[in-house]
């Protein structure tokens, strides 16, 4: 069935507005990290303490997977030789490393590290924008006022003083909070899913972004698990009321999908940790 004319007319405006949000976030990421843009190929932000180690993470992922063609990224015999070290307990940021592989191959490690950091501002702000837009509109037609308010929310989240502080220190793992709003968005949608299919789709997406956050920084993933429990309690309490009661049954499928995907994402970490946990 064709969409209503009004709906077709609104879509181009929404695409342009989202594109404008991405452009503004990109420009702000360059402006608020200045003069990084002048030294993208030669310098990374930091005080010389954590930034070399976090840049090494990206190099290690490429060296292990591409140069050595070894699938196990969590064990290195190059440090503390001949004992070796288990990197599952270290801030390895493997997702950032995976994303950096094409950039390292085409350019160099420093540029790859800087672009991954800059993208975290844009992605985090865009995710917060989408989350705010979803919560504010609640299915109603989205006006320019909604987009402006959501865009402001995205800017506040992306360039919070804490994130800029950690980026300036070179603690790129703590600055890597870009997947949190996407997880919150799909968990919110899961709680409001009216059909089993929608709940499964939103549960799979939520589990994927929880896995992304775990592979970018495990600390934030543990925070998300706590927040998920609190959200679940609120959702169950709200489900007593008729408007949300119909979402309780479909959501069980979405929760199962979320747990399955998130568990699969965490399994490599847990498998790498288990031998040391048993020994110690």
């Amino acid at each position: 069935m064709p969409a209503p004319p009004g709906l077709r007319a609104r879509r181009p405006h929404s695409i342009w507005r989202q594109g404008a949000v991405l452009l503004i976030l990109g420009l702000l990421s360059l402006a608020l990290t200045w003069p990084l843009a002048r030294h993208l190929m030669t310098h990374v932000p930091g005080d010389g303490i954590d930034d070399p180690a976090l840049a090494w993470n990206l190099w290690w992922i490429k060296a292990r997977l591409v140069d050595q063609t070894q699938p196990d990224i969590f064990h290195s015999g190059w440090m503390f030789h001949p004992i070796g070290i288990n990197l599952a307990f270290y801030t390895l940021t493997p997702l950032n490393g995976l994303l950096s592989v094409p950039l390292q191959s085409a350019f160099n490690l420093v540029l790859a590290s800087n672009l991954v950091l800059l993208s975290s501002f844009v992605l985090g702000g865009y995710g917060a924008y989408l989350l705010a837009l979803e919560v504010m509109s609640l299915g109603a037609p989205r006006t320019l006022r909604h987009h402006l308010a959501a865009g402001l929310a995205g800017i506040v989240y992306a360039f919070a003083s804490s994130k800029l502080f950690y980026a300036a220190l070179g603690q790129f793992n703590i600055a890597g909070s870009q997947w949190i709003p996407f997880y919150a968005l799909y968990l919110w949608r899961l709680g409001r899913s009216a059909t089993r299919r929608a709940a499964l789709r939103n549960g799979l997406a939520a589990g994927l972004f929880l896995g992304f956050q775990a592979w970018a920084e495990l600390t934030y993933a543990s925070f998300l698990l706590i927040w998920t429990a609190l959200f679940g309690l609120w959702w169950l309490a709200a489900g007593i009321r008729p408007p949300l009661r119909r979402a309780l049954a479909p959501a069980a499928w979405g929760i199962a999908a979320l747990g399955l995907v998130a568990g699969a994402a965490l399994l490599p970490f847990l498998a790498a940790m288990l031998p040391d946990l048993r020994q110690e």
Side-chain angles (χ1 to χ4, degrees):
M1 185 175 71
L7 182 60
R8 287 199 301 268
R10 284 195 297 269
R11 283 179 179 171
H13 296 293
S14 179
I15 293 172
W16 280 106
R17 288 166 183 170
Q18 292 190 37
V21 169
L22 286 169
L23 178 61
I24 291 170
L25 289 169
L27 293 175
L28 283 174
S29 68
L30 295 175
L32 295 177
T33 58
W34 188 265
L36 179 61
R38 292 177 54 192
H39 308 284
L40 285 177
M41 298 288 290
T42 57
H43 294 72
V44 297
D47 55 7
I49 298 175
D50 293 307
D51 42 297
L54 272 295
W56 178 89
N57 291 354
L58 309 188
W59 171 86
W60 167 251
I61 296 298
K62 177 181 178 294
R64 190 65 166 168
L65 296 178
V66 179
D67 301 334
Q68 301 177 19
T69 63
Q70 296 293 323
D72 182 8
I73 61 173
F74 294 111
H75 294 92
S76 173
W78 293 8
M79 292 182 287
F80 300 99
H81 184 79
I83 301 172
I85 187 172
N86 188 347
L87 297 174
F89 294 94
Y90 161 70
T91 54
L92 185 58
T93 61
L95 179 59
N96 292 348
L98 290 171
L99 294 174
S100 76
V101 168
L103 295 169
Q104 290 188 62
S105 301
F107 302 101
N108 64 26
L109 173 62
V110 174
L111 179 64
S113 178
N114 287 329
L115 291 182
V116 169
L117 174 64
L118 290 172
S119 71
S120 72
F121 290 102
V122 178
L123 287 171
Y126 183 63
Y129 157 78
L130 293 177
L131 175 61
L133 192 63
E134 182 94 4
V135 174
M136 286 191 300
S137 62
L138 289 177
R142 294 171 178 174
T143 64
L144 178 60
R145 189 167 51 181
H146 286 124
H147 285 273
L148 290 174
L152 179 60
I155 291 172
V156 170
Y157 180 82
F159 304 103
S161 59
S162 57
K163 172 149 182 162
L164 290 171
F165 173 74
Y166 285 117
L169 286 179
Q171 297 180 5
F172 310 136
N173 58 318
I174 304 299
S177 56
Q178 65 268 30
W179 307 113
I180 292 176
F182 289 100
Y183 174 72
L185 170 64
Y186 283 100
L187 189 64
W188 169 264
R189 289 180 176 177
L190 170 59
R192 302 183 65 83
S193 299
T195 65
R196 182 187 300 180
R197 183 176 180 180
L200 282 170
R201 181 175 63 249
N202 292 321
L204 289 171
L208 180 67
F209 283 114
L210 180 57
F212 281 175
Q213 190 57 68
W215 279 68
E217 172 51 43
L218 272 172
T219 304
Y220 288 135
S222 65
F223 293 165
L224 286 179
L225 292 177
I226 297 172
W227 181 78
T228 301
L230 295 174
F231 178 83
L233 292 175
W234 170 84
W235 174 71
L236 288 173
I240 298 174
R241 295 177 295 173
L244 289 179
R245 189 179 302 164
R246 64 180 182 273
L248 290 175
W253 292 89
I255 293 170
L258 190 164
L260 185 64
V261 174
L266 290 171
L267 189 60
F269 275 104
L270 299 177
M273 291 177 175
L274 188 59
D276 282 15
L277 290 173
R278 285 178 172 175
Q279 185 175 356
E280 298 296 331

